[in-house]
Amino acid sequence: MDFRTELIKSIQTTFDQELKNYKADRTYKSVIKNVTAKGYIILDETGCERTVKCAIPGLSLHAGQHVWVKEPLADIRNIHICGVL
């Protein structure tokens, strides 16, 4: 085989493995579906409903409002509202 092709495949494999293990904050737009005593029900990136808290003190939100949602280090358990659109 051609050494250039093998080198490119090796680099691509290494790159793919590193991306798979990469964890970073993800921020995306969402909408509040409902407000409950436990928090705000929003849609996450996959379209599933999640109950989350708002990280902005003293701010009250309502159903239908568009918000920014953050997943710290791609951990869905720590998802929270971090801004309002």
Side-chain angles (χ1 to χ4, degrees):
M1 260 218 200
D2 186 22
F3 78 94
R4 288 175 284 200
T5 305
E6 286 298 317
L7 182 61
I8 290 172
K9 284 182 183 179
S10 174
I11 292 170
Q12 184 65 42
T13 302
T14 303
F15 186 73
D16 290 343
Q17 288 174 350
E18 289 297 320
L19 274 181
K20 185 173 70 172
N21 296 328
Y22 182 71
K23 296 197 184 271
D25 290 352
R26 293 195 316 227
T27 305
Y28 51 90
K29 294 178 188 178
S30 185
V31 64
I32 297 175
K33 301 276 289 183
N34 198 0
V35 180
T36 65
K38 291 185 174 184
Y40 300 98
I41 299 175
I42 56 120
L43 294 176
D44 67 8
E45 277 186 314
T46 61
C48 296
E49 291 185 353
R50 304 271 180 196
T51 303
V52 300
K53 301 286 184 183
C54 182
I56 305 168
L59 183 67
S60 63
L61 303 168
H62 55 82
Q65 193 166 7
H66 292 271
V67 293
W68 286 105
V69 177
K70 182 182 279 187
E71 288 179 29
L73 298 174
D75 185 4
I76 197 75
R77 295 172 298 176
N78 292 325
I79 190 172
H80 61 276
I81 295 171
C82 64
V84 180
L85 293 174

